Amino acid sequence: MLTSFKQFTDELPEQGPEMPVLFVGHGSPMNGIEHNEFSQYWKKLAQEIPVPKAVLVVSAHWLSRGTHITAMDFPKTIHDFGGFPQALFDVQYPAPGDPALAKETAGLIHSTVVGLDHDWGLDHGTWSVVRQMYPQATIPVLQLSIDYTKDAQYHYNLAKELSALRRKGVLILGSGNMVHNLRMLALPRSGSFNEAYGHDWAIHMNDTFKKLISSGTHDALIRYDQLGPEARLAIPTPEHYLPLLYTLALHGKRDTVSFFNDKAVAGSLTMTSVKIANA
């Protein structure tokens, strides 16, 4: 293991500034093929940050018992949705994987044994964002699963163990939505999914989350279920929220926080996204 780790550190030498960490509100899978305000900002963001040596994504759409990381040479493109145009199902994002990086990332995590997965691939929580940022598909992309048997504090603590990757040029990206309640979707009169429109409770909770993120009040965000009935509406199930905690856990002393794509859509979704980067 020590020899393997030395090879990894030789291949990914520590850099000066750390890579940013992102939480991206991915919203509808259609954002993966549409040229709209959200996808255009993802493209812009990729031009503003250093080119990563690899991308590690924690997606709301890979829930597992235990923690796993994709470890194949070429992860498949997963179309984990229904009822969308054929053009979305036709998308292939042939980014390579990185088995060596997967193994070494697993080795950084001491709170649990991380399984090396050869079956999953890149689900739409990953490729819908990453293909807009890096359309040439030349940068290795890996996914880390979310253990659905564990609580929010566990995931926050596990994410801290990934901090060394930032110094080695790996972009860590959480993909979900801060407010995500599909049962309460409602379109504005225009019928446009991407028009700014949010229920009062959704806008209130999104603002609350932003204030807590800006002030670094992570304990309250970890205990989101204690933020009242509006929080329970915003997070009826945790899978779209937990990727945010993976991002926040990596906030360092030199970092500042900024928001982008800060918008409520379809009544009960917010696209609000977070960038954590060295000042």
Side-chain angles (χ1 to χ4, degrees):
M1 178 62 74
L2 290 177
T3 301
S4 178
F5 186 76
K6 183 180 186 303
Q7 291 173 347
F8 171 68
T9 54
D10 287 343
E11 292 174 4
L12 293 180
E14 292 199 6
Q15 307 177 129
E18 297 175 309
M19 281 296 294
V21 186
L22 304 175
F23 170 75
V24 177
H26 66 246
S28 167
M30 292 299 292
N31 294 323
I33 62 173
E34 290 181 347
H35 298 286
N36 56 40
E37 62 184 292
F38 306 126
S39 63
Q40 289 304 297
Y41 197 93
W42 299 340
K43 291 177 181 291
K44 178 175 179 288
L45 188 60
Q47 300 301 315
E48 295 175 348
I49 66 176
V51 177
K53 292 182 171 63
V55 182
L56 176 65
V57 182
V58 179
S59 165
H61 296 280
W62 190 15
L63 302 178
S64 62
R65 179 177 291 275
T67 301
H68 305 271
I69 190 168
T70 54
M72 65 286 285
D73 289 314
F74 292 97
K76 62 186 176 184
T77 303
I78 301 173
H79 302 91
D80 50 334
F81 41 71
F84 289 93
Q86 184 60 41
L88 200 60
F89 292 91
D90 291 340
V91 170
Q92 294 294 319
Y93 186 65
D98 190 330
L101 177 57
K103 184 176 180 180
E104 300 306 335
T105 300
L108 293 173
I109 298 172
H110 300 290
S111 55
T112 188
V113 175
V114 178
L116 300 178
D117 179 88
H118 297 273
D119 297 319
W120 188 249
L122 306 180
D123 60 53
H124 83 268
T126 294
W127 64 254
S128 65
V129 177
V130 179
R131 78 179 296 265
Q132 296 281 18
M133 296 180 70
Y134 306 110
Q136 295 182 345
T138 56
I139 297 171
V141 181
L142 298 83
Q143 279 197 223
L144 185 72
S145 74
I146 296 173
D147 185 346
Y148 64 83
T149 71
K150 303 298 185 181
D151 62 14
Q153 185 70 63
Y154 174 89
H155 291 290
Y156 182 85
N157 292 344
L158 186 152
K160 285 185 172 295
E161 298 182 271
L162 301 172
S163 61
L165 296 177
R166 292 184 64 188
R167 298 189 295 273
K168 300 180 184 298
V170 178
L171 175 64
I172 301 173
L173 189 156
S175 179
N177 292 94
M178 285 191 204
V179 175
H180 184 271
N181 189 329
L182 296 184
R183 292 187 177 183
M184 300 190 73
L185 289 179
L187 296 179
R189 290 182 179 179
S190 68
S192 171
F193 189 91
N194 285 340
E195 180 181 336
Y197 180 67
H199 301 306
D200 289 344
W201 59 263
I203 294 172
H204 171 74
M205 280 314 305
N206 200 64
D207 288 344
T208 298
F209 293 148
K210 287 169 57 185
K211 289 175 183 176
L212 293 172
I213 291 168
S214 295
S215 64
T217 313
H218 293 179
D219 286 348
L221 290 159
I222 293 167
R223 298 193 301 271
Y224 64 88
D225 55 340
Q226 299 180 26
L227 293 175
E230 291 180 326
R232 290 190 286 274
L233 286 173
I235 313 169
T237 55
E239 73 281 348
H240 277 76
Y241 181 81
L242 291 175
L244 171 66
L245 297 184
Y246 275 82
T247 299
L248 298 181
L250 292 165
H251 187 288
K253 294 181 179 179
R254 295 189 294 166
D255 288 324
T256 59
V257 174
S258 58
F259 299 98
F260 59 96
N261 286 348
D262 186 13
K263 184 177 178 180
V265 298
S268 58
L269 292 175
T270 59
M271 297 294 292
T272 304
S273 304
V274 183
K275 177 184 176 184
I276 294 175
N278 288 174

